[in-house]
Amino acid sequence: MTSGQVVVVGAGLGGLRAAESLRGAGYDGHIVIVGDEPHRPYNRPPLSKEALAGGVSVEQLEFRRKASIDDVEWRLGSPVVSSDLTAQTVTLADGSVLPFDGLVVASGIRPRALPIPGPEKGRYFLRTAQDAAGVREYLVPGARVVIMGAGFIGCEVAATAVGLGATVHVVALDEEPMIRPLGRELGAGMRRRHEAKGVTFHLGHTISEFLGEDHVVGARLDDGTVLNADVVIEAVGSVANTEWLEGNGLDLSDGLLVDDGMRVIDAPCPMVAVGDLARHPNALFPGPARRIEHWNMPTETGKRAGATLGAILSGQEPATAPFTAMPSFWSDQYKHKVQSFGMPGIANRITLVDGDVDGPCIVEYLDDTGLVGVVGIDRTSELAPYRARLLERARG
Ligand SMILES: Cc1cc2nc3c(=O)[nH]c(=O)nc-3n(C[C@H](O)[C@H](O)[C@H](O)COP(=O)(O)OP(=O)(O)OC[C@H]3O[C@@H](n4cnc5c(N)ncnc54)[C@H](O)[C@@H]3O)c2cc1C
């Protein structure tokens, strides 16, 4: 029998899975989940895909929750604004102060905002259901859409907007779309798929100014090109939501550094971090601890973090086994299914092993230690052997 209170900051997938895992570890004290959005945890990937295309409500996107957390207290619609980790309290924007015995940091990331002059109206990021609803309003046939950033989110939005009859321009400094996770050849293959659908890329360029009085009507690129726009979506990277932890002596330079059990390094109290903001080791891919913004990681880190915190709060030693979760990512663009396992982005050699980068294909990503990642396009059901080879890395 335990007592006391655990506060989970962030009502997303990572916070949800950590709370469920904490219960699974036998913790029966009070759990409060604080979220700045007004919703219980919901699924974000559809926000750039089917939910953006229309017809999916945020209620339909809500995750199923285990009965074991039916008794948690939800504090939604008010963010945590500060914390005192020595006194073991967090303070919400509404002024309430919540004491805790254990803390789960699950506040995720937000899109990076670049300081570009011009009007604000008509410019969107895409992280929340509210963002998607705002962008959706503009996506009518003939709409002129400018997307800044050619990563996965930018490219998915491009595909969805084209599907709704919009004219789409993508502006990005990169040489090819999705070049970091996919590499140049496959990125070029994806670009050609988009171009075949009518998307225009402005690669090697950025936006220097947004045009318009009150509402954006266009974007001027760094080479002087002017693109007319009814709406702009900015998708140029992310920033971890850790400001509320400032003043506690933690290293907040890139999310939160944790150990294999997701315990926050140098924390003065029982404290774990999960999901997109946790910078964690992974024994499958030695090297520096990394943040991984893939949908399966909040679940993997949440499970581990709940078990760790449950053990600490019941006076036991948490498990020290290395963390070996397999990063996995998928993306839907037009009818194409992109699936990745491992960490293609750390490779120094890329080999097409089957098919053609302009058609269904499988690509291996290698470094000096061997296979570090695989990507399949429209061959997703054939990746199991590659995934198995990647898992063998845990055995050395
Ligand atoms: C548009 C989009 C498409 C995506 N598509 C894919 C995909 O196709 N495949 C894939 O693998 N992954 C995809 N992802 C990534 C995936 O959704 C994330 O990895 C996952 O949502 C991360 O979960 P999380 O719990 O760490 O963070 P989040 O889901 O972001 O949850 C964090 C929550 O904490 C809240 N919060 C922040 N600060 C505070 C505070 N101070 N106080 C209280 N609450 C706070 C946030 O508002 C948010 O509600 C996509 C993400 C987006 C945005």
Side-chain angles (χ1 to χ4, degrees), residues 166-186:
T167 302
V168 178
H169 288 259
V170 177
V171 183
L173 278 172
D174 294 333
E175 217 177 307
E176 295 291 356
M178 299 165 277
I179 190 167
R180 269 175 295 277
L182 299 186
R184 187 177 294 115
E185 297 299 316
L186 201 47

PDB file of all heavy atoms in Angstrom, residues 166-186:
ATOM      1  N   ALA A 166      -5.860  22.026 -53.213  1.00  0.00           N
ATOM      2  CA  ALA A 166      -5.076  23.257 -53.032  1.00  0.00           C
ATOM      3  C   ALA A 166      -3.851  23.265 -53.958  1.00  0.00           C
ATOM      4  O   ALA A 166      -3.408  22.226 -54.451  1.00  0.00           O
ATOM      5  CB  ALA A 166      -4.626  23.378 -51.583  1.00  0.00           C
ATOM      6  N   THR A 167      -3.311  24.461 -54.182  1.00  0.00           N
ATOM      7  CA  THR A 167      -2.046  24.624 -54.894  1.00  0.00           C
ATOM      8  C   THR A 167      -0.964  24.774 -53.829  1.00  0.00           C
ATOM      9  O   THR A 167      -1.071  25.649 -52.961  1.00  0.00           O
ATOM     10  CB  THR A 167      -2.090  25.908 -55.749  1.00  0.00           C
ATOM     11  OG1 THR A 167      -3.187  25.781 -56.646  1.00  0.00           O
ATOM     12  CG2 THR A 167      -0.800  26.109 -56.520  1.00  0.00           C
ATOM     13  N   VAL A 168       0.072  23.948 -53.898  1.00  0.00           N
ATOM     14  CA  VAL A 168       1.014  23.877 -52.775  1.00  0.00           C
ATOM     15  C   VAL A 168       2.441  24.204 -53.199  1.00  0.00           C
ATOM     16  O   VAL A 168       2.952  23.642 -54.176  1.00  0.00           O
ATOM     17  CB  VAL A 168       0.969  22.473 -52.129  1.00  0.00           C
ATOM     18  CG1 VAL A 168       1.974  22.377 -50.988  1.00  0.00           C
ATOM     19  CG2 VAL A 168      -0.439  22.159 -51.623  1.00  0.00           C
ATOM     20  N   HIS A 169       3.067  25.111 -52.447  1.00  0.00           N
ATOM     21  CA  HIS A 169       4.495  25.403 -52.600  1.00  0.00           C
ATOM     22  C   HIS A 169       5.181  25.027 -51.276  1.00  0.00           C
ATOM     23  O   HIS A 169       4.706  25.414 -50.208  1.00  0.00           O
ATOM     24  CB  HIS A 169       4.733  26.889 -52.880  1.00  0.00           C
ATOM     25  CG  HIS A 169       4.311  27.294 -54.259  1.00  0.00           C
ATOM     26  ND1 HIS A 169       5.207  27.472 -55.291  1.00  0.00           N
ATOM     27  CD2 HIS A 169       3.081  27.524 -54.782  1.00  0.00           C
ATOM     28  CE1 HIS A 169       4.565  27.811 -56.391  1.00  0.00           C
ATOM     29  NE2 HIS A 169       3.256  27.856 -56.115  1.00  0.00           N
ATOM     30  N   VAL A 170       6.304  24.322 -51.374  1.00  0.00           N
ATOM     31  CA  VAL A 170       7.066  23.956 -50.182  1.00  0.00           C
ATOM     32  C   VAL A 170       8.430  24.650 -50.256  1.00  0.00           C
ATOM     33  O   VAL A 170       9.144  24.511 -51.254  1.00  0.00           O
ATOM     34  CB  VAL A 170       7.267  22.429 -50.074  1.00  0.00           C
ATOM     35  CG1 VAL A 170       8.128  22.084 -48.856  1.00  0.00           C
ATOM     36  CG2 VAL A 170       5.924  21.711 -50.000  1.00  0.00           C
ATOM     37  N   VAL A 171       8.758  25.403 -49.216  1.00  0.00           N
ATOM     38  CA  VAL A 171      10.028  26.142 -49.156  1.00  0.00           C
ATOM     39  C   VAL A 171      10.884  25.511 -48.060  1.00  0.00           C
ATOM     40  O   VAL A 171      10.418  25.375 -46.918  1.00  0.00           O
ATOM     41  CB  VAL A 171       9.777  27.624 -48.800  1.00  0.00           C
ATOM     42  CG1 VAL A 171      11.092  28.404 -48.806  1.00  0.00           C
ATOM     43  CG2 VAL A 171       8.755  28.253 -49.749  1.00  0.00           C
ATOM     44  N   ALA A 172      12.114  25.123 -48.399  1.00  0.00           N
ATOM     45  CA  ALA A 172      12.966  24.522 -47.367  1.00  0.00           C
ATOM     46  C   ALA A 172      14.431  24.716 -47.715  1.00  0.00           C
ATOM     47  O   ALA A 172      14.811  24.686 -48.889  1.00  0.00           O
ATOM     48  CB  ALA A 172      12.662  23.032 -47.237  1.00  0.00           C
ATOM     49  N   LEU A 173      15.250  24.881 -46.691  1.00  0.00           N
ATOM     50  CA  LEU A 173      16.689  25.047 -46.896  1.00  0.00           C
ATOM     51  C   LEU A 173      17.354  23.748 -47.348  1.00  0.00           C
ATOM     52  O   LEU A 173      18.400  23.766 -47.982  1.00  0.00           O
ATOM     53  CB  LEU A 173      17.344  25.535 -45.599  1.00  0.00           C
ATOM     54  CG  LEU A 173      17.241  27.039 -45.336  1.00  0.00           C
ATOM     55  CD1 LEU A 173      17.746  27.380 -43.936  1.00  0.00           C
ATOM     56  CD2 LEU A 173      18.009  27.842 -46.397  1.00  0.00           C
ATOM     57  N   ASP A 174      16.722  22.625 -47.015  1.00  0.00           N
ATOM     58  CA  ASP A 174      17.334  21.329 -47.334  1.00  0.00           C
ATOM     59  C   ASP A 174      17.444  21.118 -48.844  1.00  0.00           C
ATOM     60  O   ASP A 174      16.711  21.706 -49.626  1.00  0.00           O
ATOM     61  CB  ASP A 174      16.490  20.193 -46.743  1.00  0.00           C
ATOM     62  CG  ASP A 174      16.496  20.232 -45.231  1.00  0.00           C
ATOM     63  OD1 ASP A 174      17.463  20.741 -44.659  1.00  0.00           O
ATOM     64  OD2 ASP A 174      15.500  19.774 -44.638  1.00  0.00           O
ATOM     65  N   GLU A 175      18.350  20.193 -49.174  1.00  0.00           N
ATOM     66  CA  GLU A 175      18.586  19.856 -50.583  1.00  0.00           C
ATOM     67  C   GLU A 175      17.441  19.019 -51.159  1.00  0.00           C
ATOM     68  O   GLU A 175      17.119  19.099 -52.338  1.00  0.00           O
ATOM     69  CB  GLU A 175      19.860  19.017 -50.608  1.00  0.00           C
ATOM     70  CG  GLU A 175      20.777  19.221 -51.748  1.00  0.00           C
ATOM     71  CD  GLU A 175      21.991  18.340 -51.515  1.00  0.00           C
ATOM     72  OE1 GLU A 175      22.597  18.427 -50.418  1.00  0.00           O
ATOM     73  OE2 GLU A 175      22.314  17.565 -52.413  1.00  0.00           O
ATOM     74  N   GLU A 176      16.866  18.179 -50.326  1.00  0.00           N
ATOM     75  CA  GLU A 176      15.751  17.324 -50.732  1.00  0.00           C
ATOM     76  C   GLU A 176      14.788  17.201 -49.555  1.00  0.00           C
ATOM     77  O   GLU A 176      15.203  17.362 -48.412  1.00  0.00           O
ATOM     78  CB  GLU A 176      16.233  15.899 -51.104  1.00  0.00           C
ATOM     79  CG  GLU A 176      17.122  15.810 -52.325  1.00  0.00           C
ATOM     80  CD  GLU A 176      16.390  16.123 -53.643  1.00  0.00           C
ATOM     81  OE1 GLU A 176      15.159  16.332 -53.625  1.00  0.00           O
ATOM     82  OE2 GLU A 176      17.071  16.169 -54.681  1.00  0.00           O
ATOM     83  N   PRO A 177      13.520  16.907 -49.810  1.00  0.00           N
ATOM     84  CA  PRO A 177      12.605  16.699 -48.697  1.00  0.00           C
ATOM     85  C   PRO A 177      12.998  15.476 -47.856  1.00  0.00           C
ATOM     86  O   PRO A 177      13.529  14.509 -48.409  1.00  0.00           O
ATOM     87  CB  PRO A 177      11.241  16.477 -49.368  1.00  0.00           C
ATOM     88  CG  PRO A 177      11.517  16.242 -50.806  1.00  0.00           C
ATOM     89  CD  PRO A 177      12.858  16.814 -51.117  1.00  0.00           C
ATOM     90  N   MET A 178      12.751  15.568 -46.565  1.00  0.00           N
ATOM     91  CA  MET A 178      12.985  14.464 -45.614  1.00  0.00           C
ATOM     92  C   MET A 178      14.397  13.889 -45.737  1.00  0.00           C
ATOM     93  O   MET A 178      14.621  12.696 -45.544  1.00  0.00           O
ATOM     94  CB  MET A 178      11.942  13.347 -45.837  1.00  0.00           C
ATOM     95  CG  MET A 178      10.527  13.833 -45.608  1.00  0.00           C
ATOM     96  SD  MET A 178       9.252  12.733 -46.249  1.00  0.00           S
ATOM     97  CE  MET A 178       9.205  13.216 -47.971  1.00  0.00           C
ATOM     98  N   ILE A 179      15.354  14.755 -46.064  1.00  0.00           N
ATOM     99  CA  ILE A 179      16.710  14.256 -46.367  1.00  0.00           C
ATOM    100  C   ILE A 179      17.389  13.672 -45.124  1.00  0.00           C
ATOM    101  O   ILE A 179      18.137  12.689 -45.233  1.00  0.00           O
ATOM    102  CB  ILE A 179      17.570  15.370 -47.015  1.00  0.00           C
ATOM    103  CG1 ILE A 179      18.887  14.798 -47.556  1.00  0.00           C
ATOM    104  CG2 ILE A 179      17.829  16.527 -46.055  1.00  0.00           C
ATOM    105  CD1 ILE A 179      19.634  15.744 -48.481  1.00  0.00           C
ATOM    106  N   ARG A 180      17.109  14.237 -43.946  1.00  0.00           N
ATOM    107  CA  ARG A 180      17.818  13.731 -42.756  1.00  0.00           C
ATOM    108  C   ARG A 180      17.436  12.286 -42.447  1.00  0.00           C
ATOM    109  O   ARG A 180      18.314  11.441 -42.326  1.00  0.00           O
ATOM    110  CB  ARG A 180      17.618  14.643 -41.550  1.00  0.00           C
ATOM    111  CG  ARG A 180      18.720  15.715 -41.475  1.00  0.00           C
ATOM    112  CD  ARG A 180      18.459  16.691 -40.356  1.00  0.00           C
ATOM    113  NE  ARG A 180      17.258  17.449 -40.600  1.00  0.00           N
ATOM    114  CZ  ARG A 180      17.214  18.541 -41.383  1.00  0.00           C
ATOM    115  NH1 ARG A 180      18.314  18.983 -41.954  1.00  0.00           N
ATOM    116  NH2 ARG A 180      16.081  19.170 -41.574  1.00  0.00           N
ATOM    117  N   PRO A 181      16.152  11.948 -42.357  1.00  0.00           N
ATOM    118  CA  PRO A 181      15.857  10.541 -42.076  1.00  0.00           C
ATOM    119  C   PRO A 181      15.980   9.620 -43.288  1.00  0.00           C
ATOM    120  O   PRO A 181      16.255   8.434 -43.121  1.00  0.00           O
ATOM    121  CB  PRO A 181      14.396  10.575 -41.590  1.00  0.00           C
ATOM    122  CG  PRO A 181      13.822  11.828 -42.156  1.00  0.00           C
ATOM    123  CD  PRO A 181      14.963  12.805 -42.237  1.00  0.00           C
ATOM    124  N   LEU A 182      15.812  10.133 -44.510  1.00  0.00           N
ATOM    125  CA  LEU A 182      15.750   9.232 -45.669  1.00  0.00           C
ATOM    126  C   LEU A 182      17.025   9.213 -46.495  1.00  0.00           C
ATOM    127  O   LEU A 182      17.286   8.231 -47.197  1.00  0.00           O
ATOM    128  CB  LEU A 182      14.586   9.628 -46.600  1.00  0.00           C
ATOM    129  CG  LEU A 182      13.177   9.584 -46.024  1.00  0.00           C
ATOM    130  CD1 LEU A 182      12.150   9.867 -47.123  1.00  0.00           C
ATOM    131  CD2 LEU A 182      12.886   8.227 -45.374  1.00  0.00           C
ATOM    132  N   GLY A 183      17.808  10.285 -46.453  1.00  0.00           N
ATOM    133  CA  GLY A 183      18.959  10.410 -47.328  1.00  0.00           C
ATOM    134  C   GLY A 183      18.568  11.063 -48.647  1.00  0.00           C
ATOM    135  O   GLY A 183      17.387  11.237 -48.958  1.00  0.00           O
ATOM    136  N   ARG A 184      19.633  11.415 -49.459  1.00  0.00           N
ATOM    137  CA  ARG A 184      19.390  12.228 -50.652  1.00  0.00           C
ATOM    138  C   ARG A 184      18.585  11.482 -51.721  1.00  0.00           C
ATOM    139  O   ARG A 184      17.637  12.018 -52.289  1.00  0.00           O
ATOM    140  CB  ARG A 184      20.735  12.684 -51.241  1.00  0.00           C
ATOM    141  CG  ARG A 184      20.572  13.675 -52.386  1.00  0.00           C
ATOM    142  CD  ARG A 184      21.887  14.190 -52.924  1.00  0.00           C
ATOM    143  NE  ARG A 184      22.590  14.991 -51.938  1.00  0.00           N
ATOM    144  CZ  ARG A 184      23.752  14.670 -51.391  1.00  0.00           C
ATOM    145  NH1 ARG A 184      24.360  13.556 -51.744  1.00  0.00           N
ATOM    146  NH2 ARG A 184      24.334  15.440 -50.498  1.00  0.00           N
ATOM    147  N   GLU A 185      18.952  10.222 -51.990  1.00  0.00           N
ATOM    148  CA  GLU A 185      18.304   9.496 -53.109  1.00  0.00           C
ATOM    149  C   GLU A 185      16.820   9.265 -52.863  1.00  0.00           C
ATOM    150  O   GLU A 185      15.974   9.529 -53.714  1.00  0.00           O
ATOM    151  CB  GLU A 185      18.995   8.123 -53.305  1.00  0.00           C
ATOM    152  CG  GLU A 185      20.455   8.220 -53.697  1.00  0.00           C
ATOM    153  CD  GLU A 185      20.642   8.938 -55.024  1.00  0.00           C
ATOM    154  OE1 GLU A 185      19.875   8.630 -55.952  1.00  0.00           O
ATOM    155  OE2 GLU A 185      21.529   9.805 -55.111  1.00  0.00           O
ATOM    156  N   LEU A 186      16.529   8.758 -51.669  1.00  0.00           N
ATOM    157  CA  LEU A 186      15.121   8.470 -51.374  1.00  0.00           C
ATOM    158  C   LEU A 186      14.335   9.765 -51.198  1.00  0.00           C
ATOM    159  O   LEU A 186      13.162   9.859 -51.593  1.00  0.00           O
ATOM    160  CB  LEU A 186      15.034   7.599 -50.113  1.00  0.00           C
ATOM    161  CG  LEU A 186      13.759   6.798 -49.918  1.00  0.00           C
ATOM    162  CD1 LEU A 186      13.345   6.055 -51.175  1.00  0.00           C
ATOM    163  CD2 LEU A 186      13.920   5.814 -48.761  1.00  0.00           C
TER     164      LEU A 186
END
